[in-house]
Each structure stands twice: as C-alpha cells, then as structure tokens.
Amino acid sequence: MVNLRQIEAFRAVMVHKTVTRAAQTLHVSQPAVSRLIADLEYHVGFSLFKRDKGRLVPTPEAQALYEDVERAFVGLEKITETAKEIREFRTGRLFISCMPALALSVLPNMVHDFSARHPGITISLQAHSSQRVLEWVGTQQCDLGFIGMHIEDPAVTILPLVTGYLRLMMQPSHPLAKKRVIHVQDLEEQPFVSLGQLQDVRPLIDQAFHAAGVKRRMRIETQLSSVACELVKAGAGVSLIDPVTASFYSKQGLVSKPFLPAIDFHYSAVLPAYRPPARLAMEFLEDAKAQLQRLIDAEDDASYNINE
C-alpha cells in the first residue's frame, strides 16, 4: 500500500524540483527520498519522473497524481484510487491536433472508438495545417499531433507512421477517368490545382513534371489537400493529393487514380520533445498507425505497378 511518507516525498520533489531540496525539507538524506519515490512508483505501477540532463522531469502521470496530492492530502485511499485510474486509463485528458486530411477521414472514428474503450477520458481533436500542428505540439498545447511533412524541429519529436503514394483526383466525367493509371505525360496542358509551396511534396510534384517536360496549366494553388479536392469537385481541374484525402473524396464522388512516376507521401506523428509522452497518447498513436496502414493498403489498386 501507498503510505504517507512516500506521498510526502513525492510532493516535496514536485514542489522543490530536486531531490536535494526535497531531502532538506523533509530532514532526511537524498538516498532516502529516492528510495521513497522508487517505492511509490512500484506501488502505483508507473514512472513518476524522467531524468533529463541531470534534472528530474515529472511525467504526465505524475502531474495528474499531483493534482490530487495538492488538493489532498485528502486521504491515502483517494490517492491510491487515482493512481489506479491513471494506470488503467480510467481518467485523464488527451489533446490531439492533426492535419485536415486525417480529421476528415480516419481520426473521428478512431477518437470515437478510443473514447468508448476509455469512457473516463476527455479527448480534444483539433484540425490545423501541418505547420500549425507543429507549433501546437512544440509549445505543448497538445499531447499528440499528426502531420504530412518531413521537418526537423528541436521542440518536437517526429515519429514516421506510414508512407503512401500521391493520387490524381478528377471528376468522373474527365476524359482521363477511363484510364487505369495516369502518367505524367497525360497531363500535358491539363488544368491543374496545385498544393502550395509550403507543402513538402510540392517540389517533388514540380520535379516530376519538369523532368518529363510536361507543362500543366497551373490555375489555382492551395495549402490544404481537402480544399484542392473541393476545387476539383467544382471543375477547376485535376490535382495530386495524399492517399488518405483521396480515399475520403473518392467516396464523395471524385475519381482517384494511381499516378506515375510514383510520388511518396509521408504521414508522421509529433510529440513534445521536452516532456515524457503521455501513455494515452502513445496508445492512441499505435491505433492510428495500424488504421492508417490499413487505409493506405486498401487505397492502392491491385493493378498499380510503380514499375509500369
């Protein structure tokens, strides 16, 4: 059982930020405080602190537990029960920020299923551009982000999830809709809705057309793949889009075709770099990776051969 001395040691470390000052406050040795913290971690079943360059950083689970300790000293039974709920995902909050492509498609159902499994958890899902998602995660305004770009940022940790190929979106009445696979040469002088310059894949798309000597009619540019698809629906032209967005809009009446030369699109998860990841976030991330892989696999046509 958790005892009062362990809670006192935990609270002292949370308040004073170091084992040294906590030991001074409790009038015990530093090893004694460390031992009390280790015993508490053993009883509650999860880590309370991570060491980062010689300093102790409270885990999200420690912050959640500390809220009750501070309001507490309300009794050891209440604290023990709170720790059990955190360990079993029966209480807590999960803040997710993601690119619109995922907010429109797989994530709503995933959030619903995750919430059903953990009814005590409050989940916030926000849709932003990949650049804004990086800002939110980097400033620790959310626990987990999903983006469609490659970038190095010291404020975040990037975890690659899945990779798919860009798809060409068009109206069903478009002359190219009858082709099994669209080659870059097929788009000579075609009206083209382009992704914006800030998109990671934009230079790759431009390079494919330049290498083939193909000239598009670049009519409209937008930063969001969902907006590009809406423009295609409105008759503005064709557009190369990430496979998740393509899957969603192919169910909304557009035609999604494989495109050659194949252009990779990478989906990644983003975590704050300067704090340990929340256990809830890591469980959700694993669910997202599996679901995205299933969707990407389903979107690829059996006849799509990139060596064609």
Side-chain angles (χ1 to χ4, degrees):
M1 289 290 295
V2 172
N3 62 51
L4 181 59
R5 200 58 175 163
Q6 294 164 2
I7 295 301
E8 287 176 337
F10 167 68
R11 182 175 182 273
V13 174
M14 292 292 288
V15 170
H16 298 290
K17 311 301 183 185
T18 68
V19 172
T20 300
R21 294 182 61 188
Q24 292 170 349
T25 302
L26 297 174
H27 305 291
V28 297
S29 67
Q30 293 182 43
V33 172
S34 297
R35 186 169 57 253
L36 288 167
I37 294 297
D39 290 342
L40 179 58
E41 289 178 326
Y42 172 82
H43 286 299
V44 299
F46 51 80
S47 297
L48 296 169
F49 299 94
K50 303 290 185 184
R51 289 198 173 275
D52 182 17
K53 298 179 180 178
R55 60 191 184 93
L56 288 179
V57 179
T59 64
E61 290 78 18
Q63 297 285 6
L65 183 60
Y66 178 62
E67 290 181 7
D68 260 357
V69 171
E70 266 306 284
R71 276 193 304 266
F73 284 99
V74 291
L76 292 178
E77 287 187 6
K78 171 62 178 172
I79 295 170
T80 302
E81 179 60 26
T82 298
K84 184 179 180 181
E85 289 178 353
I86 295 169
R87 182 174 66 248
E88 297 175 358
F89 297 135
R90 289 193 283 120
T91 188
R93 295 180 64 88
L94 179 60
F95 294 88
I96 303 169
S97 183
C98 69
M99 56 189 289
L102 300 182
L104 282 172
S105 51
V106 295
L107 282 191
N109 285 335
M110 284 188 53
V111 168
H112 171 72
D113 293 343
F114 196 83
S115 178
R117 287 207 313 271
H118 305 299
I121 300 299
T122 301
I123 303 175
S124 174
L125 176 62
Q126 304 290 330
H128 300 286
S129 67
S130 291
Q131 291 82 5
R132 181 59 63 86
V133 171
L134 285 170
E135 293 174 12
W136 275 54
V137 177
T139 55
Q140 302 190 28
Q141 296 181 67
C142 60
D143 302 304
L144 174 64
F146 294 97
I147 62 173
M149 62 190 301
H150 275 315
I151 194 169
E152 291 187 6
D153 187 331
V156 299
T157 299
I158 306 291
L159 301 176
L161 293 179
V162 297
T163 298
Y165 299 121
L166 294 187
R167 308 279 297 193
L168 189 74
M169 306 303 291
M170 64 191 73
Q171 292 185 328
S173 58
H174 196 284
L176 294 176
K178 296 179 181 179
K179 290 180 66 72
R180 181 169 57 89
V181 177
I182 309 300
H183 293 77
V184 64
Q185 291 83 1
D186 297 325
L187 300 184
E188 180 73 41
E189 291 300 327
Q190 287 286 337
F192 192 85
V193 179
S194 180
L195 296 177
Q197 297 287 347
L198 295 179
Q199 288 277 1
D200 252 18
V201 295
R202 172 63 184 271
L204 301 178
I205 295 172
D206 292 346
Q207 181 181 358
F209 281 90
H210 179 75
V214 174
K215 294 183 178 180
R216 301 158 285 173
R217 281 197 282 148
M218 298 274 285
R219 300 181 59 179
I220 303 174
E221 179 179 298
T222 178
Q223 285 301 117
L224 298 179
S225 55
S226 55
V227 176
C229 284
E230 291 294 337
L231 288 165
V232 172
K233 286 175 66 176
V238 300
S239 188
L240 279 168
I241 296 301
D242 71 273
V244 170
T245 304
S247 176
F248 177 80
Y249 275 94
S250 65
K251 298 178 178 67
Q252 311 300 314
L254 291 183
V255 173
S256 168
K257 293 288 183 178
F259 176 80
L260 290 174
I263 300 174
D264 289 346
F265 189 92
H266 306 280
Y267 299 94
S268 299
V270 191
L271 295 166
Y274 297 119
R275 76 179 193 203
R279 294 165 67 237
L280 280 170
M282 296 307 294
E283 181 180 336
F284 190 91
L285 190 156
E286 290 303 316
D287 289 353
K289 183 175 183 178
Q291 182 65 23
L292 282 172
Q293 189 62 64
R294 285 193 291 269
L295 191 151
I296 295 293
D297 292 343
E299 182 65 13
D300 286 339
D301 295 336
S303 61
Y304 187 4
N305 182 355
I306 63 173
N307 296 316
E308 189 176 318

